[in-house]
Amino acid sequence: MKRAMRIAALVVIGVGLVCGAALAALHVALSRGDLQPRIDAALEHATGRAVTLGGLSVRLGLRPRIAVSDATIANVPGGSQPYFARIGRLDVTLSLLPLLSGQVEIDSLRLADAEIILERDAQGRGNWVFGAGGETSAGGLTIGAVDIESSRILLPGGPVRALEVLSLSLARDEPGDPLELDGRIRIDGETLAVSARLGPEADGALPMNATVQGTGLRVALRGAWPRGSAAPDWTLALEAEADRTAVQRLATRSGVAVPAVSDVSLKARIAAGTPMPAVSDVTLRVGATDLGSMLPGLRLAHGELRAASFDGPVTVTAQGRRGTADLAVAATLPSLRRLSSWAAEATLPVEAVLTSGRARLALSGPVRRDFNLGAAVFDARLTTPDFALVGPVLGVALPRVNGVTAHARLGGLFTRTLRLDALTVTADALDMTGDLTIALAPRLTFGGRLAARRIDLDALGGGAAPARRATARMIPEIDLPIDTLRGADATLRLSAAQLVAGGVTWRDASGTLALTNGRLVIDPFQVTSPGGPVGGRAALDAAQQPPRAELRLDSRGRGLDLAALRRAFGVPAGFEGSAELAIDLRGRGATTRVLAATLSGEAGVAMVGGRFSGATALRIGPDLARVLLPRGTPAEGLALRCLALRLSAEDGVVHSQVLLMEGAFGRIDGTVAINLRDETIAARLLPDIRLMGLTVRAPVTIGGTLTDQRIGMEPGAALARVVGDTVANRLWRSSTVEFLRDATGSTSPGGECGPALTLARLGRAGPMPEAAAVPIPLVPREIQGAAQDVVRGIGGLLGGRRR
């Protein structure tokens, strides 16, 4: 027994000596490089690539260690670099006992200072696929732990250019246990902590639970990771989150400008697909974001993108505000498959709906890959029950227009300038076409042309004066649009085939509107009233304190048809004929009454020929007509040679420079004074009428107010009411006051038709009536006309023209 044990011990010692001698010989051979060509050739045969080992050493022991330094592995033909990998140092520690039985078990593998290039060749084959033509087997190779330090993975042509491995550890306790991964990597300068758990393998895939975390961001993957590219039925659930600073940091490193997003989150499911993995159940959420750089005052409360499948449509929804207006957006995009294969020069259709309250804007059109909505042109349709609802979105007060439907080609969406081409607008009160640009910043500005077939200002609230009580003043109290003018600028060419204002239809209105910093000028403008065309210039300067208004208005052509005006406005005045109108007025104030109280300028009405039928527009008219024409107006009316009226105003006090009505019946002239501050009136008429056997030459005085005139009021008392303060009194040191006071013995200030008409036309030239016949002495006025005819007849017989 003792002898057998000695023999066994000698055998073990002998085997140990032989193995030790063999290992020592192997170490010497490796150190001298005697085996390196054979090892390189074996590795090249196994990988199908040229392999070069700079240095190779073996440390003997129960856990033998192989160290490789400065090794290179060649790249595929046509690669961007000649090498696939350069390895600074590779240490491999083996388990001795499995190695003696023909199995290779690596206790640990340490890789440092390595650089690996991952790319594809022209056929799309990855350079990380090895083999010399046939399948290779790992031969039962197992690895217990892997440590990688200070290495880089280069990805030429990809969105990520480089991946640096600062430190990475992979380990498993037993060959069948899950693989644990933990470390730190850097992607394009972003340092990330990585942790993952993979395996064990099941159905060709590895169960996976991985997390990547950086400063302000986190990415998690859960599911089954494919063991190979052909592994079926694998799926991963992706969750990602990033805060405001992380989003801005990543965007800056990517060279992309994004708004100041508060936070972003992404959820998706990734599964096997051909030629690329399929993505489904995508949900991208964006938190509160200030979009003021795109549009002043625009702020996103939250937004969401959803895609149920890789081939289904993508929906985008968002909620936000601009100023006081709530905004909502719902858009439909093409499928993720189409978006992923979207060529840079191609466009894809997009549909979106923007809502603000009950206002709705529908958009559809092609969009480029860069999603530059400002360069896209959409087919746009706006529907709103009230146009004023759109005002807060644009940042300006807009008029109330009911039942609006607008259609246009819209460009510049979410930029500072919107373009509306081929615009059509239909509503309860208007029907309009044109082209319009709307600059939203730095100041709201409108530009372009608008042509309306019909505009009903009464329905819009801008044409009819508000209802007045029976005791109300004649001049209504209407606020001028001061705030609206101060809130926007505009340069517009406007026209309207039909314009309804004050219950009256006007036609062929046109004008050029310029609004700059609160100063509105419409110059020139023209419109055909029911009585004929008028035109001129209007201005309202809301930048002044108080606001200033100007109006210049002249009749055009043959003048205004007074009968047509009477029928259109429902006025019972009985003048017929064509009258010339000339107005040049200005004032200050934010309401119509304040404006009237400061009115200055001139206004005149001139008419040659025509007829007076007897009624008047004022409430006092019938009483005044009975005083001037006690026996009434003849059925055929009174033929006129001329009618002339010129009024001058200064600081709200109006007085006449001429007031004359003349005809075969005689003449009526006089003076009138009106204080527009309190609407008091003082007038004195001097008739010289002989009609139907009755002569009227007594002065007629009028006093009271514009809504309560009284005949026969004492002139001094009436004038005292008009000239009621020192300012008005200063303005009235003229012959008009003296005449109203009846303090002079001069003749009436009206004069003959010619000078009176020139005054009424504000100095402009115009037609004049034929000269009146020289009265025949000693012949009564009643038969002057017949006598004149007789004299003309005798003159024709005695000295008529020869033919």
mmCIF file of all heavy atoms in Angstrom, residues 74 77 114 131 139 182 187-188 211 468 472 498 543 562 574 618 667 706 712 738 777 799:
data_model
loop_
_atom_site.group_PDB
_atom_site.id
_atom_site.type_symbol
_atom_site.label_atom_id
_atom_site.label_comp_id
_atom_site.label_asym_id
_atom_site.label_seq_id
_atom_site.Cartn_x
_atom_site.Cartn_y
_atom_site.Cartn_z
ATOM 1 N N ALA A 74 -7.894 44.152 -38.940
ATOM 2 C CA ALA A 74 -8.127 44.882 -40.176
ATOM 3 C C ALA A 74 -9.627 45.109 -40.405
ATOM 4 O O ALA A 74 -10.474 44.332 -39.940
ATOM 5 C CB ALA A 74 -7.514 44.148 -41.353
ATOM 6 N N PRO A 77 -12.838 45.602 -46.709
ATOM 7 C CA PRO A 77 -12.416 46.424 -47.857
ATOM 8 C C PRO A 77 -13.362 47.602 -48.071
ATOM 9 O O PRO A 77 -14.583 47.464 -47.983
ATOM 10 C CB PRO A 77 -12.470 45.435 -49.028
ATOM 11 C CG PRO A 77 -12.316 44.093 -48.402
ATOM 12 C CD PRO A 77 -13.007 44.194 -47.066
ATOM 13 N N ALA A 114 -8.669 51.011 -26.185
ATOM 14 C CA ALA A 114 -9.072 50.421 -27.469
ATOM 15 C C ALA A 114 -9.872 51.436 -28.281
ATOM 16 O O ALA A 114 -10.520 52.347 -27.736
ATOM 17 C CB ALA A 114 -9.900 49.164 -27.240
ATOM 18 N N GLY A 131 -15.694 36.086 -40.027
ATOM 19 C CA GLY A 131 -15.769 34.747 -40.600
ATOM 20 C C GLY A 131 -15.079 34.718 -41.940
ATOM 21 O O GLY A 131 -15.074 35.697 -42.679
ATOM 22 N N GLY A 139 -16.996 27.232 -29.541
ATOM 23 C CA GLY A 139 -16.367 26.067 -28.923
ATOM 24 C C GLY A 139 -16.586 25.992 -27.434
ATOM 25 O O GLY A 139 -15.713 25.553 -26.696
ATOM 26 N N ASP A 182 -22.588 47.566 -15.833
ATOM 27 C CA ASP A 182 -22.571 48.812 -15.073
ATOM 28 C C ASP A 182 -21.354 49.626 -15.516
ATOM 29 O O ASP A 182 -20.269 49.061 -15.701
ATOM 30 C CB ASP A 182 -22.506 48.517 -13.571
ATOM 31 C CG ASP A 182 -22.699 49.790 -12.745
ATOM 32 O OD1 ASP A 182 -23.375 50.713 -13.242
ATOM 33 O OD2 ASP A 182 -22.168 49.852 -11.628
ATOM 34 N N ILE A 187 -21.203 60.110 -24.836
ATOM 35 C CA ILE A 187 -21.681 60.167 -26.218
ATOM 36 C C ILE A 187 -21.652 61.610 -26.669
ATOM 37 O O ILE A 187 -22.400 62.453 -26.155
ATOM 38 C CB ILE A 187 -23.104 59.593 -26.348
ATOM 39 C CG1 ILE A 187 -23.144 58.132 -25.906
ATOM 40 C CG2 ILE A 187 -23.602 59.724 -27.785
ATOM 41 C CD1 ILE A 187 -24.521 57.527 -25.927
ATOM 42 N N ASP A 188 -20.779 61.901 -27.636
ATOM 43 C CA ASP A 188 -20.647 63.262 -28.156
ATOM 44 C C ASP A 188 -20.550 64.291 -27.038
ATOM 45 O O ASP A 188 -21.199 65.336 -27.049
ATOM 46 C CB ASP A 188 -21.825 63.599 -29.081
ATOM 47 C CG ASP A 188 -21.731 62.866 -30.409
ATOM 48 O OD1 ASP A 188 -20.638 62.361 -30.726
ATOM 49 O OD2 ASP A 188 -22.757 62.805 -31.116
ATOM 50 N N THR A 211 -30.958 50.976 -17.965
ATOM 51 C CA THR A 211 -31.195 52.377 -17.626
ATOM 52 C C THR A 211 -29.963 53.192 -17.966
ATOM 53 O O THR A 211 -28.836 52.776 -17.641
ATOM 54 C CB THR A 211 -31.520 52.552 -16.133
ATOM 55 O OG1 THR A 211 -32.660 51.754 -15.800
ATOM 56 C CG2 THR A 211 -31.823 54.010 -15.808
ATOM 57 N N ARG A 468 -81.505 107.468 -29.451
ATOM 58 C CA ARG A 468 -81.482 108.610 -28.537
ATOM 59 C C ARG A 468 -82.860 108.807 -27.927
ATOM 60 O O ARG A 468 -83.883 108.582 -28.554
ATOM 61 C CB ARG A 468 -81.070 109.890 -29.271
ATOM 62 C CG ARG A 468 -79.722 109.814 -29.931
ATOM 63 C CD ARG A 468 -79.305 111.205 -30.415
ATOM 64 N NE ARG A 468 -80.241 111.762 -31.376
ATOM 65 C CZ ARG A 468 -80.116 111.620 -32.692
ATOM 66 N NH1 ARG A 468 -79.124 110.916 -33.177
ATOM 67 N NH2 ARG A 468 -80.986 112.156 -33.515
ATOM 68 N N ALA A 472 -82.641 113.824 -25.694
ATOM 69 C CA ALA A 472 -81.201 113.751 -25.944
ATOM 70 C C ALA A 472 -80.770 114.844 -26.901
ATOM 71 O O ALA A 472 -81.565 115.419 -27.637
ATOM 72 C CB ALA A 472 -80.832 112.387 -26.515
ATOM 73 N N GLN A 498 -70.631 97.883 -52.680
ATOM 74 C CA GLN A 498 -71.854 98.316 -51.986
ATOM 75 C C GLN A 498 -71.549 98.477 -50.510
ATOM 76 O O GLN A 498 -70.999 97.577 -49.871
ATOM 77 C CB GLN A 498 -72.967 97.283 -52.186
ATOM 78 C CG GLN A 498 -74.309 97.687 -51.603
ATOM 79 C CD GLN A 498 -75.343 96.597 -51.770
ATOM 80 O OE1 GLN A 498 -75.431 95.694 -50.951
ATOM 81 N NE2 GLN A 498 -76.113 96.684 -52.839
ATOM 82 N N ALA A 543 -52.447 109.257 -31.674
ATOM 83 C CA ALA A 543 -51.210 109.404 -30.908
ATOM 84 C C ALA A 543 -51.163 110.731 -30.175
ATOM 85 O O ALA A 543 -50.391 110.887 -29.230
ATOM 86 C CB ALA A 543 -49.999 109.273 -31.841
ATOM 87 N N LEU A 562 -80.126 116.581 -54.609
ATOM 88 C CA LEU A 562 -80.763 116.759 -53.315
ATOM 89 C C LEU A 562 -82.041 115.953 -53.184
ATOM 90 O O LEU A 562 -82.367 115.461 -52.098
ATOM 91 C CB LEU A 562 -81.045 118.245 -53.072
ATOM 92 C CG LEU A 562 -79.810 119.152 -52.999
ATOM 93 C CD1 LEU A 562 -80.236 120.578 -52.703
ATOM 94 C CD2 LEU A 562 -78.835 118.653 -51.960
ATOM 95 N N GLY A 574 -87.480 119.997 -48.796
ATOM 96 C CA GLY A 574 -88.038 120.061 -50.127
ATOM 97 C C GLY A 574 -87.165 120.719 -51.162
ATOM 98 O O GLY A 574 -87.701 121.336 -52.085
ATOM 99 N N LEU A 618 -85.741 120.338 -40.366
ATOM 100 C CA LEU A 618 -85.772 120.621 -38.940
ATOM 101 C C LEU A 618 -87.190 120.579 -38.403
ATOM 102 O O LEU A 618 -88.164 120.796 -39.125
ATOM 103 C CB LEU A 618 -85.148 121.990 -38.665
ATOM 104 C CG LEU A 618 -83.687 122.161 -39.075
ATOM 105 C CD1 LEU A 618 -83.231 123.580 -38.804
ATOM 106 C CD2 LEU A 618 -82.799 121.163 -38.361
ATOM 107 N N ARG A 667 -85.782 137.029 -52.245
ATOM 108 C CA ARG A 667 -84.584 136.476 -51.645
ATOM 109 C C ARG A 667 -84.764 136.363 -50.137
ATOM 110 O O ARG A 667 -85.550 137.064 -49.514
ATOM 111 C CB ARG A 667 -83.370 137.358 -51.947
ATOM 112 C CG ARG A 667 -83.554 138.784 -51.452
ATOM 113 C CD ARG A 667 -82.450 139.704 -51.936
ATOM 114 N NE ARG A 667 -81.167 139.373 -51.340
ATOM 115 C CZ ARG A 667 -79.996 139.776 -51.841
ATOM 116 N NH1 ARG A 667 -79.967 140.470 -52.975
ATOM 117 N NH2 ARG A 667 -78.879 139.479 -51.240
ATOM 118 N N LEU A 706 -80.523 122.946 -31.073
ATOM 119 C CA LEU A 706 -80.717 122.231 -32.328
ATOM 120 C C LEU A 706 -81.907 121.286 -32.268
ATOM 121 O O LEU A 706 -82.508 120.975 -33.297
ATOM 122 C CB LEU A 706 -79.442 121.440 -32.692
ATOM 123 C CG LEU A 706 -78.202 122.279 -33.021
ATOM 124 C CD1 LEU A 706 -77.014 121.366 -33.313
ATOM 125 C CD2 LEU A 706 -78.477 123.197 -34.203
ATOM 126 N N GLY A 712 -89.001 133.684 -33.261
ATOM 127 C CA GLY A 712 -89.388 134.932 -32.630
ATOM 128 C C GLY A 712 -88.679 135.232 -31.342
ATOM 129 O O GLY A 712 -89.004 136.196 -30.649
ATOM 130 N N GLU A 738 -72.716 141.665 -34.682
ATOM 131 C CA GLU A 738 -73.400 142.959 -34.783
ATOM 132 C C GLU A 738 -74.716 142.806 -35.530
ATOM 133 O O GLU A 738 -75.731 143.413 -35.190
ATOM 134 C CB GLU A 738 -72.490 143.968 -35.498
ATOM 135 C CG GLU A 738 -71.165 144.210 -34.781
ATOM 136 C CD GLU A 738 -71.372 144.705 -33.364
ATOM 137 O OE1 GLU A 738 -72.277 145.534 -33.145
ATOM 138 O OE2 GLU A 738 -70.651 144.232 -32.444
ATOM 139 N N PRO A 777 -88.308 150.528 -64.362
ATOM 140 C CA PRO A 777 -88.778 151.518 -63.370
ATOM 141 C C PRO A 777 -90.302 151.688 -63.442
ATOM 142 O O PRO A 777 -90.918 151.559 -64.495
ATOM 143 C CB PRO A 777 -88.042 152.786 -63.786
ATOM 144 C CG PRO A 777 -86.865 152.320 -64.580
ATOM 145 C CD PRO A 777 -87.305 151.083 -65.275
ATOM 146 N N GLY A 799 -85.037 145.746 -83.262
ATOM 147 C CA GLY A 799 -83.603 145.624 -83.580
ATOM 148 C C GLY A 799 -83.108 144.208 -83.448
ATOM 149 O O GLY A 799 -82.006 143.971 -82.984
#
